[in-house]
Amino acid sequence: MSRRVVIAAGLAALALVAISLATARAEDADPFARVLDALAVVVGVVLVLRANLSAIRTFVLPRATNDLITRIVFRALRRAFDLAASPRLPYPLQDRLMAYFGPFALMALPVVWLVVVGAGYTLIFWGTGVRPMEQALVDSGSSLLTLGFDRPDGYGAQLIAFSEATIGLGLIALLIAYLPTIYGGFSRRELLVSLLETRAGSPPSPVALLTRLWKLDGLHQLHELLGRWELWFAELEETHTSLTALVHFRSQSADRSWVNAAGAVLDACALVSSPVQLDRDAQVDLTLRSGRSTLRRITTVFHLPFDPEPGTEGPVRIDRETFDRALAELELGGVPLVADLEAAWRDFRACRASYDEPLARLEDLTVAPAPWWSQRAPASAVAGAARMTD
């Protein structure tokens, strides 16, 4: 907060200096010209302030926010990437193209901020007497990029040029300083996603996960595993709502996605809570609540629509046939099931409804691979689990 106050105070002082210069230079001009000069300075200061606010909200502010400039940049680039990575393309090629979206958009942000700052200072220089507009643009560009090939005349104008150079360097330094933070968050996210592949296959399947754990030690590892995923969901919410570009950073392979991994873990919790016959474990409920809250908050940051109160009869994308097929595969793997499968379906459906829609929105947003329930992958994964433990 103190940094924002310092920047605001500095820019306010800059505005006062610029308006004073504009008034002094326009004493002999007609009133309309004086008003026009002052208006140019005010608009320029607003543009500079808005670019700095966007940078602070995107990289520095440690809370969920959705900045207008950042949103416009990401949406404009996303439309271009959607055209290039058409759904008609094979998914591996689509994934390779979309892998550039997050980093490319992140690198485009400072460029846009510098353009906005340059446009703002161009207006400030013009409003303080630099004529014509082309010369004001040259003075602004030379100061912003610290090229030094041109300098404005006058002590006040040179102070304005110094302030612009400071802001330009600061915006670039801000991105460089936060790149390790961004990639650190990405690395921590991908660690558990990668480890999940050895237990749940690729794409991750809750059926394969439960079957493999049952074959190994009767699901005794499930408590510890879900505890780690509860922490993973908590960190995911913190990093992916404050540094939203991370949402678009894709995993190293085309068949791996943090969204799919989150869905598989939540589906595993839903299965353990309904058809799988085990002693009640509070960790299952804690992980389910943590994951559901995380998906909803990330979805909210991106202004994606979903029903916050879907109820037990809310829409789900997994139908009864898919559920019965999953039960058959669990039974084939030796996992104990409850006798009342009808009640188990109702419980599973109610649980899945609480996170199905936010999960679907994030799958579309990140162009994630097809989830486990939309293909026959779990059957081969279960067979592989059986071979692994035989």
Side-chain angles (χ1 to χ4, degrees):
M1 183 63 183
S2 58
R3 184 179 301 180
R4 296 174 64 186
V5 171
V6 170
I7 292 176
L11 289 174
L14 168 64
L16 292 176
V17 172
I19 291 175
S20 299
L21 287 172
T23 304
R25 289 174 179 269
E27 286 180 350
D28 297 331
D30 61 86
F32 177 76
R34 296 177 62 181
V35 170
L36 192 60
D37 287 343
L39 182 61
V41 171
V42 171
V43 173
V45 171
V46 169
L47 288 176
V48 174
L49 279 172
R50 191 62 187 84
N52 280 272
L53 178 62
S54 176
I56 291 172
R57 296 178 69 183
T58 302
F59 287 129
V60 182
L61 190 65
R63 62 171 53 190
T65 184
N66 196 327
D67 181 73
L68 177 62
I69 295 178
T70 302
R71 187 167 66 248
I72 290 174
V73 171
F74 271 78
R75 285 184 175 178
L77 289 174
R78 179 57 184 267
R79 289 192 179 96
F81 272 86
D82 284 342
L83 291 175
S86 170
R88 294 188 296 270
L89 296 176
Y91 184 77
L93 177 57
Q94 190 181 8
D95 174 77
R96 284 199 298 272
L97 292 173
M98 292 304 298
Y100 290 94
F101 169 62
F104 193 87
L106 189 64
M107 297 303 294
L109 274 176
V111 176
V112 173
W113 292 331
L114 290 176
V115 168
V116 175
V117 170
Y121 272 95
T122 298
L123 291 175
I124 292 174
F125 278 120
W126 186 84
T128 54
V130 177
R131 296 292 191 274
M133 181 65 76
E134 290 80 1
Q135 184 60 45
L137 178 61
V138 169
D139 287 348
S140 176
S142 176
S143 303
L144 179 65
L145 303 178
T146 63
L147 298 177
F149 62 79
D150 202 353
R151 55 185 293 180
D153 297 327
Y155 179 70
Q158 290 175 4
L159 285 179
I160 295 174
F162 293 155
S163 69
E164 183 178 13
T166 303
I167 290 175
L169 289 174
L171 290 176
I172 299 299
L174 188 64
L175 174 64
I176 295 173
Y178 273 84
L179 281 178
T181 302
I182 293 171
Y183 279 95
F186 170 79
S187 178
R188 291 191 300 272
R189 184 193 77 188
E190 290 300 306
L191 177 61
L192 275 189
V193 174
S194 300
L195 289 175
L196 185 65
E197 184 175 355
T198 62
R199 294 169 171 82
S202 185
S205 162
V207 177
L209 175 63
L210 295 177
T211 302
R212 288 180 177 177
L213 292 180
W214 177 261
K215 291 283 186 178
L216 289 172
D217 64 353
L219 295 181
H220 293 302
Q221 295 183 19
L222 185 63
H223 178 88
E224 180 182 356
L225 178 68
L226 293 183
R228 296 181 66 185
W229 277 92
E230 180 189 1
L231 296 177
W232 182 87
F233 278 120
E235 184 174 13
L236 187 78
E237 178 186 332
E238 189 272 329
T239 55
H240 286 53
T241 56
S242 58
L243 297 172
T244 52
L246 269 174
V247 171
H248 302 288
F249 277 59
R250 305 177 72 82
S251 298
Q252 290 87 344
S253 59
D255 57 353
R256 190 185 300 166
S257 166
W258 68 268
V259 180
N260 283 13
V265 171
L266 292 179
D267 286 341
C269 292
L271 288 172
V272 171
S273 300
S274 46
V276 176
Q277 190 173 22
L278 289 176
D279 294 335
R280 182 176 179 82
D281 187 350
Q283 186 60 60
V284 175
D285 294 332
L286 291 174
T287 303
L288 188 61
R289 288 176 178 270
S290 178
R292 180 174 58 210
S293 173
T294 294
L295 295 184
R296 290 185 174 195
R297 289 181 179 175
I298 295 175
T299 304
T300 300
V301 167
F302 283 90
H303 295 174
L304 301 175
F306 71 95
D307 185 0
E309 298 293 338
T312 58
E313 297 299 324
V316 295
R317 294 172 295 157
I318 297 180
D319 56 20
R320 179 61 187 270
E321 180 183 356
T322 305
F323 177 75
D324 289 339
R325 188 169 65 246
L327 295 189
E329 293 165 357
L330 287 172
E331 187 175 20
L332 179 64
V335 180
L337 303 177
V338 299
D340 190 353
L341 297 182
E342 189 65 34
W345 160 245
R346 290 195 299 269
D347 293 341
F348 175 82
R349 191 185 187 285
C351 188
R352 172 82 189 196
S354 65
Y355 60 85
D356 185 88
E357 194 174 6
L359 184 63
R361 295 288 181 263
L362 291 176
E363 288 172 356
D364 292 340
L365 177 68
T366 60
V367 195
W372 67 272
W373 48 266
S374 67
Q375 49 195 301
R376 294 282 182 173
S380 60
V382 171
R387 289 193 299 271
M388 180 182 69
T389 55
D390 284 346

